[in-house]
Amino acid sequence: EIVLTQSPATLSLSPGERATLSCRASQSVSSYVAWYQQKPGQAPRLLIYEATYRATGIPGRFSGSGSGTDFTLTISSLEPEDFAVYYCQQRFKRQTFGQGTKLEIK
Amino acid sequence: EVQLVESGGGLVQPGGSLRLSCAASGFSFSTSSMNWVRQAPGKGLEWLSYITSTSTTLYYADSVKGRFTVSRDNAKNSLSLQMNDLRDEDTAVYYCARGLEWSDGFFDLWGQGTLVTVSS
């Protein structure tokens, strides 16, 4: 099983700041990584797929980068609605998710 | 409206069975691959099962293989998950999720989830 490790577990920032979330795979997953946002009591929402492509309707402040084993989700300028839990996921070999990063208001 | 709506969750005793359903609307269900994903209380996401549009290919996570069975009825725009031999650790919110058309294996549409509680 491919293990995805996300860091940090919790990230405390203020609106307007830049957020950088990391996801490391236990083996190469090429570019087959997605990022999801989940708010309390809601289903996850797809943000980024294949490492760099924004899903339909996702604002331009969200961007993804990386390949191989190291991936990054960047939110260029945090809006109040961006504070949530973020998960990375790989589909290179079956599907697995990271444990999540909680982005909280500082 | 494009949506997925799960149903069938509830309280079941260990060793029991439950069948979840997912009703799709607003999109071409018959050409979409589908998945089940769960989330234990306060925990992360776990992919469980995948089924292609024509049911020709099925995949399961090791944690549920042999106990859970995914199926679909394209005529009724419906996805199901038959869960047998349920264990305490199967307690979770269960989501159905559509596979992204141009990158199957990622999930671009999710239901609201249905809670399954396994407890005596």
Side-chain angles (χ1 to χ4, degrees):
Chain A
E1 176 181 304
I2 296 175
V3 177
L4 299 180
T5 303
Q6 293 186 238
S7 61
T10 303
L11 184 59
S12 300
L13 294 170
S14 300
E17 291 192 294
R18 181 183 187 90
T20 303
L21 288 68
S22 295
C23 176
R24 174 164 289 179
S26 58
Q27 66 183 78
S28 177
V29 294
S30 186
S31 294
Y32 294 122
V33 162
W35 291 90
Y36 299 83
Q37 176 193 69
Q38 187 178 34
K39 297 179 180 179
Q42 296 184 17
R45 178 174 72 143
L46 177 66
L47 302 174
I48 301 288
Y49 65 95
E50 291 186 6
T52 63
Y53 296 97
R54 272 190 301 276
T56 303
I58 302 303
R61 63 181 182 274
F62 291 91
S63 64
S65 63
S67 65
T69 61
D70 291 299
F71 300 88
T72 300
L73 173 70
T74 301
I75 310 172
S76 59
S77 179
L78 286 165
E79 297 288 342
E81 62 268 27
D82 298 337
F83 292 91
V85 179
Y86 292 82
Y87 294 96
C88 59
Q89 178 228 335
Q90 65 81 22
R91 71 164 188 85
F92 182 77
K93 187 180 296 183
R94 289 294 185 266
Q95 289 94 334
T96 54
F97 290 89
Q99 83 281 13
T101 289
K102 182 179 181 180
L103 178 56
E104 65 177 23
I105 299 177
K106 187 174 182 180
Chain B
E1 182 183 0
V2 176
Q3 64 177 356
L4 298 168
V5 179
E6 301 94 338
S7 60
L11 176 64
V12 61
Q13 292 187 338
S17 298
L18 208 58
R19 187 177 183 88
L20 305 183
S21 296
C22 172
S25 59
F27 66 96
S28 178
F29 178 77
S30 63
T31 60
S32 299
S33 68
M34 297 296 298
N35 299 263
W36 287 98
V37 178
R38 71 183 177 187
Q39 187 170 36
K43 303 297 184 182
L45 301 166
E46 180 187 16
W47 169 82
L48 299 179
S49 181
Y50 164 89
I51 184 169
T52 53
S53 59
T54 56
S55 304
T56 51
T57 300
L58 311 178
Y59 294 132
Y60 298 94
D62 288 344
S63 59
V64 303
K65 195 177 297 182
R67 300 189 299 124
F68 290 12
T69 302
V70 62
S71 62
R72 65 190 294 161
D73 184 338
N74 287 342
K76 295 182 178 179
N77 288 344
S78 178
L79 176 74
S80 296
L81 186 68
Q82 176 66 41
M83 304 187 296
N84 298 329
D85 188 23
L86 284 161
R87 307 165 180 170
D88 291 350
E89 56 266 33
D90 294 319
T91 294
V93 172
Y94 285 71
Y95 297 100
C96 60
R98 183 179 69 181
L100 182 63
E101 179 181 358
W102 43 88
S103 191
D104 197 12
F106 298 132
F107 316 124
D108 69 334
L109 179 66
W110 297 64
Q112 86 289 350
T114 187
L115 176 62
V116 173
T117 303
V118 183
S119 175
S120 54

